Coordinates of all heavy atoms in Angstrom, one line a residue:
M1 N 1.5 -22.4 4.6 CA 1.4 -21.0 4.1 C 0.1 -20.9 3.3 O -0.2 -21.7 2.5 CB 2.6 -20.7 3.3 CG 2.6 -19.3 2.7 SD 4.3 -18.7 2.6 CE 4.0 -17.1 2.0
S2 N -0.6 -19.8 3.5 CA -1.8 -19.6 2.7 C -1.5 -19.2 1.3 O -0.4 -18.7 1.0 CB -2.7 -18.5 3.4 OG -2.0 -17.3 3.4
A3 N -2.6 -19.4 0.5 CA -2.4 -19.0 -0.9 C -2.2 -17.5 -1.0 O -2.6 -16.7 -0.2 CB -3.7 -19.4 -1.7
G4 N -1.4 -17.1 -2.0 CA -1.1 -15.7 -2.2 C -0.7 -15.4 -3.6 O -0.8 -16.2 -4.5
F5 N -0.3 -14.2 -3.8 CA 0.1 -13.7 -5.1 C 1.0 -12.5 -4.9 O 1.5 -12.3 -3.7 CB -1.1 -13.3 -5.9 CG -2.1 -12.3 -5.2 CD1 -1.9 -10.9 -5.3 CD2 -3.1 -12.8 -4.4 CE1 -2.7 -10.0 -4.7 CE2 -4.0 -11.9 -3.8 CZ -3.8 -10.5 -3.9
E6 N 1.4 -11.8 -5.9 CA 2.3 -10.7 -5.8 C 1.7 -9.4 -6.4 O 0.9 -9.5 -7.3 CB 3.6 -11.0 -6.5 CG 4.5 -12.0 -5.9 CD 5.8 -12.2 -6.6 OE1 5.9 -11.8 -7.8 OE2 6.8 -12.7 -6.0
I7 N 2.1 -8.3 -5.8 CA 1.8 -7.0 -6.4 C 3.2 -6.4 -6.7 O 4.2 -6.9 -6.2 CB 1.0 -6.1 -5.5 CG1 1.7 -5.8 -4.2 CG2 -0.4 -6.7 -5.3 CD1 0.9 -4.8 -3.3
I8 N 3.2 -5.4 -7.4 CA 4.5 -4.7 -7.8 C 4.5 -3.3 -7.2 O 3.6 -2.5 -7.5 CB 4.7 -4.6 -9.3 CG1 4.5 -6.0 -10.0 CG2 6.0 -4.0 -9.6 CD1 5.5 -7.0 -9.5
L9 N 5.5 -3.0 -6.3 CA 5.6 -1.7 -5.8 C 6.9 -1.1 -6.4 O 8.0 -1.6 -6.2 CB 5.8 -1.7 -4.2 CG 6.2 -0.4 -3.6 CD1 5.0 0.6 -3.7 CD2 6.6 -0.6 -2.1
D10 N 6.7 0.0 -7.1 CA 7.8 0.7 -7.7 C 8.8 -0.2 -8.4 O 10.0 -0.1 -8.3 CB 8.5 1.6 -6.7 CG 7.6 2.8 -6.3 OD1 6.7 3.2 -7.1 OD2 7.8 3.3 -5.2
G11 N 8.2 -1.2 -9.1 CA 9.0 -2.2 -9.9 C 9.5 -3.4 -9.2 O 10.0 -4.3 -9.8
G12 N 9.2 -3.5 -7.9 CA 9.7 -4.7 -7.2 C 8.5 -5.5 -6.6 O 7.5 -4.9 -6.2
P13 N 8.6 -6.9 -6.6 CA 7.5 -7.7 -6.2 C 7.3 -7.6 -4.7 O 8.3 -7.6 -3.9 CB 7.9 -9.1 -6.6 CG 9.4 -9.0 -6.6 CD 9.8 -7.6 -7.0
V14 N 6.0 -7.7 -4.3 CA 5.7 -7.8 -2.8 C 4.7 -8.9 -2.7 O 3.7 -8.9 -3.4 CB 5.1 -6.4 -2.4 CG1 4.6 -6.5 -0.9 CG2 6.0 -5.3 -2.5
P15 N 4.9 -9.8 -1.8 CA 4.0 -10.9 -1.6 C 2.7 -10.5 -0.9 O 2.8 -9.6 0.0 CB 4.7 -11.9 -0.7 CG 5.8 -11.1 0.0 CD 6.1 -10.0 -0.9
V16 N 1.6 -11.1 -1.2 CA 0.3 -10.7 -0.7 C -0.4 -12.0 -0.3 O -0.4 -12.9 -1.0 CB -0.5 -9.9 -1.7 CG1 -1.9 -9.6 -1.1 CG2 0.2 -8.7 -2.2
R17 N -1.1 -12.0 0.9 CA -2.0 -13.0 1.2 C -3.4 -12.6 0.8 O -3.7 -11.5 0.8 CB -2.0 -13.3 2.8 CG -0.7 -13.9 3.3 CD -0.9 -14.2 4.7 NE 0.2 -14.9 5.2 CZ 0.4 -15.3 6.5 NH1 -0.5 -14.9 7.4 NH2 1.4 -16.0 6.9
L18 N -4.2 -13.6 0.4 CA -5.5 -13.3 0.0 C -6.2 -12.5 1.0 O -6.2 -12.8 2.2 CB -6.3 -14.7 -0.3 CG -5.8 -15.5 -1.5 CD1 -6.6 -16.8 -1.5 CD2 -6.0 -14.7 -2.8
G19 N -6.9 -11.5 0.6 CA -7.7 -10.6 1.5 C -7.0 -9.5 2.1 O -7.6 -8.6 2.7
Q20 N -5.7 -9.4 1.9 CA -4.9 -8.3 2.5 C -5.2 -7.0 1.7 O -5.3 -7.0 0.5 CB -3.4 -8.5 2.5 CG -3.0 -9.4 3.6 CD -1.4 -9.5 3.6 OE1 -0.8 -9.7 2.6 NE2 -0.9 -9.4 4.8
T21 N -5.2 -5.9 2.4 CA -5.1 -4.6 1.7 C -3.7 -4.4 1.2 O -2.7 -5.1 1.7 CB -5.5 -3.4 2.6 OG1 -4.5 -3.3 3.7 CG2 -6.9 -3.6 3.2
I22 N -3.5 -3.4 0.3 CA -2.2 -3.1 -0.1 C -1.3 -2.7 1.0 O -0.2 -3.1 1.2 CB -2.2 -2.0 -1.3 CG1 -2.8 -2.7 -2.5 CG2 -0.9 -1.4 -1.5 CD1 -3.1 -1.7 -3.6
G23 N -1.9 -1.8 1.9 CA -1.1 -1.4 3.1 C -0.7 -2.5 4.0 O 0.4 -2.5 4.5
A24 N -1.6 -3.5 4.2 CA -1.3 -4.6 5.1 C -0.2 -5.5 4.4 O 0.8 -5.9 5.1 CB -2.5 -5.5 5.3
A25 N -0.2 -5.6 3.1 CA 0.8 -6.4 2.4 C 2.2 -5.7 2.5 O 3.2 -6.4 2.8 CB 0.4 -6.6 1.0
L26 N 2.2 -4.4 2.3 CA 3.4 -3.7 2.4 C 4.0 -3.8 3.8 O 5.2 -4.0 4.0 CB 3.3 -2.2 2.0 CG 2.8 -2.0 0.6 CD1 2.7 -0.5 0.3 CD2 3.8 -2.6 -0.4
H27 N 3.2 -3.6 4.8 CA 3.6 -3.7 6.2 C 4.1 -5.1 6.5 O 5.2 -5.2 7.1 CB 2.4 -3.3 7.1 CG 2.8 -3.2 8.6 ND1 3.4 -2.1 9.1 CD2 2.8 -4.1 9.6 CE1 3.6 -2.2 10.4 NE2 3.3 -3.5 10.7
A28 N 3.4 -6.1 6.1 CA 3.9 -7.5 6.3 C 5.2 -7.8 5.7 O 5.9 -8.6 6.1 CB 2.8 -8.5 5.8
A29 N 5.5 -7.1 4.6 CA 6.7 -7.3 3.9 C 7.9 -6.4 4.5 O 9.0 -6.4 3.9 CB 6.6 -6.9 2.4
G30 N 7.5 -5.7 5.5 CA 8.6 -4.9 6.2 C 8.7 -3.5 5.6 O 9.7 -2.8 6.0
I31 N 7.8 -3.2 4.8 CA 7.9 -1.8 4.2 C 7.1 -0.9 5.0 O 5.8 -1.0 5.0 CB 7.4 -1.9 2.7 CG1 8.2 -2.8 1.9 CG2 7.4 -0.5 2.1 CD1 7.6 -3.2 0.5
R32 N 7.7 0.0 5.8 CA 7.0 0.8 6.7 C 6.7 2.2 6.2 O 5.8 2.9 6.7 CB 7.9 1.0 8.0 CG 8.2 -0.3 8.7 CD 6.9 -0.9 9.2 NE 7.1 -2.1 10.1 CZ 6.9 -3.3 9.7 NH1 6.5 -3.6 8.5 NH2 7.2 -4.3 10.6
S33 N 7.4 2.7 5.2 CA 7.0 3.9 4.5 C 7.3 3.8 3.1 O 8.2 3.1 2.6 CB 7.8 5.1 5.2 OG 9.2 4.9 5.0
W34 N 6.6 4.6 2.3 CA 6.8 4.6 0.8 C 6.7 6.0 0.2 O 6.6 6.1 -1.0 CB 5.8 3.6 0.2 CG 4.3 3.7 0.7 CD1 3.4 4.6 0.2 CD2 3.8 2.9 1.7 NE1 2.2 4.3 0.9 CE2 2.4 3.3 1.8 CE3 4.2 1.9 2.6 CZ2 1.5 2.8 2.7 CZ3 3.4 1.4 3.5 CH2 2.0 1.8 3.5
Q35 N 6.7 7.0 1.0 CA 6.8 8.3 0.4 C 7.3 9.3 1.5 O 7.3 8.9 2.7 CB 5.4 8.8 -0.1 CG 4.4 8.9 1.0 CD 3.1 9.5 0.4 OE1 3.1 10.3 -0.5 NE2 2.0 9.0 0.9
V36 N 7.8 10.4 1.0 CA 8.3 11.4 2.0 C 7.6 12.7 1.6 O 7.7 13.1 0.4 CB 9.8 11.6 1.9 CG1 10.2 12.7 2.8 CG2 10.5 10.3 2.3
T37 N 6.9 13.3 2.5 CA 6.3 14.6 2.2 C 6.6 15.5 3.5 O 6.6 15.0 4.6 CB 4.8 14.6 2.0 OG1 4.1 14.0 3.1 CG2 4.4 13.8 0.8
G38 N 6.9 16.7 3.2 CA 7.2 17.7 4.3 C 8.4 17.2 5.1 O 8.5 17.5 6.3
G39 N 9.3 16.4 4.5 CA 10.5 16.0 5.2 C 10.3 14.8 6.1 O 11.2 14.4 6.8
R40 N 9.0 14.2 6.1 CA 8.7 13.1 6.9 C 8.3 11.9 6.1 O 7.6 12.0 5.1 CB 7.6 13.4 7.9 CG 8.0 14.5 8.9 CD 6.8 14.9 9.8 NE 6.3 13.7 10.4 CZ 5.0 13.6 10.9 NH1 4.2 14.7 10.9 NH2 4.6 12.5 11.5
A41 N 8.8 10.7 6.5 CA 8.4 9.4 5.9 C 6.9 9.2 6.2 O 6.4 9.4 7.3 CB 9.2 8.3 6.4
R42 N 6.2 8.7 5.1 CA 4.8 8.4 5.3 C 4.5 7.0 4.9 O 5.1 6.4 3.9 CB 4.0 9.3 4.3 CG 4.3 10.8 4.4 CD 3.9 11.4 5.7 NE 4.3 12.8 5.7 CZ 3.8 13.7 6.6 NH1 2.9 13.3 7.5 NH2 4.3 14.9 6.6
G43 N 3.6 6.4 5.6 CA 3.2 5.0 5.3 C 1.9 4.8 6.1 O 1.1 5.7 6.3
L44 N 1.7 3.5 6.6 CA 0.5 3.3 7.4 C 0.6 4.1 8.7 O 1.7 4.1 9.4 CB 0.4 1.8 7.8 CG -0.1 0.9 6.7 CD1 -0.2 -0.5 7.2 CD2 -1.4 1.3 6.0
F45 N -0.4 4.7 9.1 CA -0.5 5.4 10.4 C -1.7 5.0 11.2 O -1.6 4.2 12.1 CB -0.4 6.9 10.2 CG -0.3 7.7 11.5 CD1 0.8 7.6 12.4 CD2 -1.4 8.5 11.9 CE1 0.8 8.2 13.6 CE2 -1.3 9.2 13.1 CZ -0.2 9.0 14.0
C46 N -2.9 5.4 10.7 CA -4.1 5.0 11.4 C -4.6 3.6 11.0 O -5.1 2.9 11.8 CB -5.2 6.0 11.2 SG -5.9 6.0 9.5
G47 N -4.4 3.3 9.8 CA -4.8 1.9 9.3 C -6.3 1.8 9.1 O -6.7 0.7 8.7
I48 N -7.0 2.9 9.2 CA -8.5 2.8 9.1 C -9.1 3.8 8.2 O -10.3 4.1 8.2 CB -9.2 2.9 10.5 CG1 -8.8 4.2 11.2 CG2 -8.8 1.6 11.3 CD1 -9.6 4.4 12.5
G49 N -8.2 4.4 7.3 CA -8.8 5.3 6.3 C -9.0 6.7 6.7 O -9.6 7.5 6.0
V50 N -8.5 7.1 7.8 CA -8.7 8.5 8.3 C -7.6 9.5 8.0 O -7.9 10.6 7.7 CB -9.0 8.4 9.9 CG1 -9.2 9.8 10.4 CG2 -10.2 7.6 10.2
C51 N -6.4 9.1 8.1 CA -5.3 10.1 8.2 C -4.7 10.4 6.8 O -4.0 11.4 6.6 CB -4.1 9.5 9.0 SG -3.2 8.1 8.3
F52 N -4.9 9.6 5.8 CA -4.4 9.8 4.4 C -2.8 9.9 4.4 O -2.2 10.5 3.5 CB -5.0 11.1 3.8 CG -6.4 11.0 3.4 CD1 -7.4 11.0 4.4 CD2 -6.8 10.8 2.1 CE1 -8.7 10.9 4.1 CE2 -8.1 10.7 1.8 CZ -9.1 10.7 2.7
E53 N -2.2 9.2 5.3 CA -0.7 9.1 5.3 C -0.2 8.1 4.3 O 1.0 8.0 4.1 CB -0.2 8.8 6.7 CG -0.4 9.9 7.7 CD 0.6 11.0 7.6 OE1 1.7 10.8 7.4 OE2 0.1 12.2 7.6
C54 N -1.1 7.2 3.8 CA -0.7 6.0 3.1 C -1.0 6.1 1.6 O -1.1 5.0 1.0 CB -1.4 4.8 3.7 SG -3.2 4.9 3.6
L55 N -1.1 7.2 1.1 CA -1.5 7.4 -0.3 C -0.6 6.6 -1.3 O 0.6 6.7 -1.2 CB -1.6 8.8 -0.7 CG -2.7 9.6 0.0 CD1 -2.7 11.1 -0.4 CD2 -4.1 9.0 -0.1
V56 N -1.2 6.0 -2.3 CA -0.5 5.3 -3.3 C -1.3 5.5 -4.6 O -2.4 5.9 -4.6 CB -0.4 3.8 -3.1 CG1 0.6 3.5 -1.9 CG2 -1.7 3.2 -2.8
T57 N -0.6 5.2 -5.7 CA -1.2 5.1 -7.0 C -1.3 3.7 -7.4 O -0.3 3.0 -7.3 CB -0.4 5.9 -8.1 OG1 -0.4 7.3 -7.7 CG2 -0.9 5.8 -9.5
V58 N -2.5 3.2 -7.8 CA -2.7 1.8 -8.1 C -3.2 1.7 -9.5 O -4.2 2.2 -9.8 CB -3.6 1.1 -7.1 CG1 -3.8 -0.4 -7.5 CG2 -3.2 1.3 -5.7
N59 N -2.4 1.0 -10.3 CA -2.8 0.8 -11.7 C -3.1 2.1 -12.4 O -4.1 2.2 -13.2 CB -3.9 -0.2 -11.9 CG -3.5 -1.6 -11.3 OD1 -2.4 -2.0 -11.4 ND2 -4.4 -2.2 -10.6
G60 N -2.4 3.2 -12.1 CA -2.6 4.5 -12.7 C -3.6 5.4 -12.0 O -3.8 6.5 -12.4
T61 N -4.3 4.9 -11.0 CA -5.3 5.7 -10.3 C -4.6 6.3 -9.1 O -4.2 5.5 -8.2 CB -6.5 4.8 -9.8 OG1 -7.1 4.3 -11.0 CG2 -7.5 5.7 -9.1
P62 N -4.5 7.6 -9.0 CA -3.7 8.2 -7.9 C -4.6 8.4 -6.7 O -5.8 8.3 -6.6 CB -3.4 9.6 -8.5 CG -4.5 9.9 -9.4 CD -4.9 8.6 -10.0
S63 N -3.8 8.7 -5.6 CA -4.4 9.2 -4.3 C -5.4 8.2 -3.7 O -6.4 8.5 -3.2 CB -5.1 10.5 -4.5 OG -4.2 11.5 -4.9
L64 N -5.0 6.9 -3.7 CA -5.8 5.9 -3.0 C -5.1 5.6 -1.7 O -3.9 5.6 -1.6 CB -5.8 4.6 -3.9 CG -6.5 4.8 -5.3 CD1 -6.4 3.5 -6.1 CD2 -8.0 5.2 -5.1
R65 N -5.9 5.3 -0.7 CA -5.4 5.0 0.6 C -5.1 3.5 0.6 O -5.9 2.6 0.5 CB -6.4 5.3 1.7 CG -6.6 6.8 1.9 CD -7.9 7.1 2.6 NE -9.0 6.8 1.8 CZ -10.3 6.8 2.3 NH1 -10.5 7.1 3.5 NH2 -11.3 6.5 1.5
A66 N -3.8 3.2 0.8 CA -3.3 1.8 0.8 C -4.0 0.9 1.8 O -4.2 -0.3 1.6 CB -1.8 1.8 1.0
C67 N -4.4 1.6 2.9 CA -5.1 0.8 4.0 C -6.5 0.4 3.7 O -7.1 -0.4 4.4 CB -5.0 1.5 5.3 SG -6.0 3.0 5.4
Q68 N -7.0 1.0 2.6 CA -8.4 0.7 2.2 C -8.7 0.0 0.9 O -9.8 -0.4 0.6 CB -9.2 2.1 2.2 CG -9.2 2.9 3.4 CD -9.9 2.1 4.5 OE1 -11.1 1.9 4.5 NE2 -9.2 1.8 5.6
V69 N -7.6 -0.3 0.2 CA -7.7 -0.9 -1.1 C -7.2 -2.4 -1.0 O -6.0 -2.6 -0.7 CB -6.8 -0.2 -2.1 CG1 -6.9 -0.9 -3.5 CG2 -7.3 1.3 -2.3
Q70 N -8.1 -3.3 -1.3 CA -7.7 -4.7 -1.3 C -6.8 -5.0 -2.5 O -7.1 -4.6 -3.6 CB -9.0 -5.6 -1.4 CG -8.6 -7.1 -1.2 CD -9.8 -7.9 -0.9 OE1 -10.9 -7.4 -0.6 NE2 -9.7 -9.2 -1.1
A71 N -5.7 -5.7 -2.2 CA -4.7 -6.0 -3.2 C -5.3 -7.0 -4.2 O -6.0 -7.9 -3.8 CB -3.5 -6.5 -2.6
R72 N -5.0 -6.9 -5.5 CA -5.4 -7.8 -6.5 C -4.2 -8.3 -7.2 O -3.2 -7.5 -7.4 CB -6.4 -7.2 -7.5 CG -7.7 -6.8 -6.8 CD -8.5 -6.0 -7.8 NE -7.8 -4.8 -8.2 CZ -8.2 -3.9 -9.1 NH1 -9.3 -4.0 -9.7 NH2 -7.4 -2.8 -9.3
P73 N -4.2 -9.5 -7.7 CA -3.0 -10.1 -8.3 C -2.5 -9.1 -9.5 O -3.3 -8.7 -10.3 CB -3.5 -11.4 -8.9 CG -4.6 -11.8 -8.0 CD -5.3 -10.5 -7.6
G74 N -1.2 -8.8 -9.4 CA -0.6 -8.0 -10.5 C -0.8 -6.6 -10.3 O -0.3 -5.8 -11.2
D75 N -1.4 -6.1 -9.3 CA -1.5 -4.6 -9.1 C -0.2 -4.0 -9.2 O 0.8 -4.5 -8.6 CB -2.1 -4.3 -7.7 CG -3.7 -4.4 -7.7 OD1 -4.3 -4.4 -8.8 OD2 -4.2 -4.3 -6.6
R76 N -0.1 -2.9 -9.9 CA 1.1 -2.1 -10.0 C 0.9 -0.8 -9.1 O 0.1 0.0 -9.4 CB 1.4 -1.7 -11.4 CG 1.6 -3.0 -12.3 CD 2.0 -2.7 -13.7 NE 3.4 -2.7 -13.9 CZ 4.2 -3.8 -13.7 NH1 3.7 -4.9 -13.3 NH2 5.5 -3.7 -13.9
V77 N 1.7 -0.8 -8.1 CA 1.6 0.2 -7.1 C 2.8 1.2 -7.1 O 3.9 0.7 -7.2 CB 1.5 -0.4 -5.6 CG1 1.3 0.7 -4.6 CG2 0.3 -1.4 -5.6
A78 N 2.5 2.5 -7.1 CA 3.5 3.5 -7.1 C 3.3 4.3 -5.8 O 2.2 4.6 -5.4 CB 3.4 4.4 -8.3
A79 N 4.4 4.6 -5.2 CA 4.4 5.3 -3.9 C 3.9 6.7 -4.2 O 4.1 7.3 -5.2 CB 5.8 5.4 -3.3
G80 N 3.1 7.2 -3.2 CA 2.7 8.6 -3.3 C 1.5 8.8 -4.1 O 0.8 7.9 -4.5
R81 N 1.2 10.1 -4.4 CA 0.0 10.5 -5.0 C 0.1 10.1 -6.5 O -0.3 10.5 -7.4 CB -0.2 12.0 -4.8 CG -0.4 12.3 -3.4 CD -0.3 13.8 -3.1 NE -0.1 14.0 -1.7 CZ -1.1 14.3 -0.9 NH1 -2.3 14.3 -1.2 NH2 -0.8 14.5 0.4
Ligands
FES101 S1 -3.2 4.7 7.2 FE1 -4.5 6.3 7.7 S2 -5.7 6.5 5.9 FE2 -4.4 4.8 5.5

């Protein structure tokens, strides 16, 4: 197993492999959606920064695309904007 660390999503730990984006880590952990807008579950969709379906708040900074932000040890991630 490669070296890794954890981030915190809405209070719960999520394992991360070095170099993963937050979106990749959530997907690898089986988390397919983390917000609901317009009655639809939202999470990774395009995975390349185009669709804005994957927005999260990281360490208090809102509206970041989870698929574009590299995870760092101890990041505190909140679902949605
Ligand atoms: S999954 Fe489309 S912008 Fe992140």
